[in-house]
Amino acid sequence: MNLRADGKIAIVTGASRGIGRGIALALAEAGAHVVCAARDLAKLEAVVAEIAAAGGKAAAHVVDVSSRESIEALVTATVAAHGRVDVLVNNAGITRDTLLLRMKPADWDDVIATNLTSVFISTQAVMKPMLKQRAGSIINIGSVVGLTGNAGQANYAAAKAGLIGFSKSVAREVASRGIRVNVVTPGFIETDMTAAMPEAAKQAMLATVPLGRTGTPADIAGLVVYLASDASAYVTGQTVSVDGGFHM
Ligand code: NAD
């Protein structure tokens, strides 16, 4: 079994902090060259420096995943620099939480553009190099909320549920070409995204997690490294939760 990613070229969006940063560090530790992509260059450079200090390989690339041009430029630059893209981790995401009756069109549009349309664009962009290579692993970061729904997150849940249907469809289209597409659905992970949650709500949520703790970016990264590696060569079209048993 090869759980390594040696020599693989991996793009990770939203790699400047949180889960994306954890994924970038872990993929580099597994031997991949990681293209760390997000909007904040200074934060990306800090992640790249951390990877280099640990003996890994990485580069920073500024991207805005709500822009088609920006995503296409990221993939073009990666292929120009390395001649290939082996792994694409679509991790960048936002929330604009509010109850449906108060949800503004922009709350809906921004979340769908950043969390779902971006994945359509980036997946299309990596198809050409991956089809040429006859190999590739696309890993989309969904959410358990896309499986269960959540009051106040109709926009976010729709985008994350949409990711699952999208990923299964593309997985069927490209399986014969050696390209795999899977979804990782995190539960409650300690990052900036969840930091604002009131303590009482956090405790109530924790009571529903059989493993009795919140998750860390490293908890998500373990599964991502597996899905990026050849150890998962027979796994495609799957949605796998990393959520302490919250949704089973
Ligand atoms: P975070 O807010 O800490 O980090 C989000 C990352 O996405 C940042 O690097 C940010 O710069 C980047 N990003 C946002 N909009 C972008 C844009 N337009 N262009 C480029 N980059 C952009 O969030 P996180 O908790 O690390 O979440 C990462 C992913 O995991 C998201 O897709 C999120 O929906 C998902 N997720 C998180 C949790 C959780 O509990 N934290 C649970 C389930 C799913």
Side-chain angles (χ1 to χ4, degrees):
M1 182 175 59
N2 184 4
L3 255 171
R4 302 274 309 164
D6 292 303
K8 290 187 190 287
I9 306 301
I11 297 174
V12 181
T13 68
S16 61
R17 62 174 197 251
I19 293 172
R21 174 180 165 274
I23 290 170
L25 295 175
L27 280 173
E29 194 185 330
H33 178 111
V34 185
V35 178
C36 301
R39 288 166 301 184
D40 187 327
L41 182 61
K43 282 192 186 156
L44 286 171
E45 282 177 340
V47 175
V48 169
E50 205 177 334
I51 289 172
K57 294 194 191 80
H61 187 109
V62 173
V63 73
D64 177 357
V65 301
S66 67
S67 152
R68 168 177 287 277
E69 293 69 33
S70 185
I71 296 171
E72 288 176 347
L74 165 66
V75 174
T76 302
T78 303
V79 174
H82 304 285
R84 55 191 297 122
V85 184
D86 300 292
V87 178
L88 169 66
V89 183
N90 287 306
N91 163 81
I94 56 166
T95 52
R96 293 284 182 271
D97 298 352
T98 188
L99 293 172
L100 179 69
L101 283 177
R102 293 194 198 122
M103 194 171 285
K104 298 192 171 61
D107 296 328
W108 175 268
D109 291 344
D110 289 353
V111 167
I112 298 297
T114 301
N115 297 7
L116 184 58
T117 308
S118 65
V119 177
F120 158 64
I121 296 167
S122 62
T123 303
Q124 236 180 13
V126 298
M127 258 325 125
K128 209 170 154 193
M130 285 188 177
L131 284 170
K132 206 165 132 200
Q133 295 158 201
R134 295 190 74 82
S137 175
I138 299 168
I139 301 154
N140 295 324
I141 308 300
S143 169
V144 284
V145 165
L147 302 169
T148 62
N150 194 24
Q153 291 198 305
N155 48 0
Y156 183 78
K160 294 300 191 183
L163 264 188
I164 295 171
F166 172 82
S167 302
K168 288 182 180 178
S169 302
V170 178
R172 288 184 186 278
E173 284 184 28
V174 297
S176 64
R177 312 299 179 91
I179 304 167
R180 301 181 293 108
V181 189
N182 292 286
V183 183
V184 174
T185 48
F188 189 97
I189 312 300
E190 298 267 9
T191 68
D192 289 357
M193 190 176 265
T194 47
M197 197 168 174
E199 193 51 35
K202 206 183 266 188
Q203 288 311 320
M205 196 282 314
L206 264 183
T208 66
V209 177
L211 285 177
R213 66 167 176 89
T214 54
T216 65
D219 288 322
I220 306 302
L223 178 58
V224 172
V225 169
Y226 166 71
L227 290 172
S229 78
D230 296 340
S232 61
Y234 201 50
V235 180
T236 196
Q238 300 306 302
T239 300
V240 186
S241 293
V242 181
D243 63 356
F246 167 72
H247 179 259
M248 56 168 95

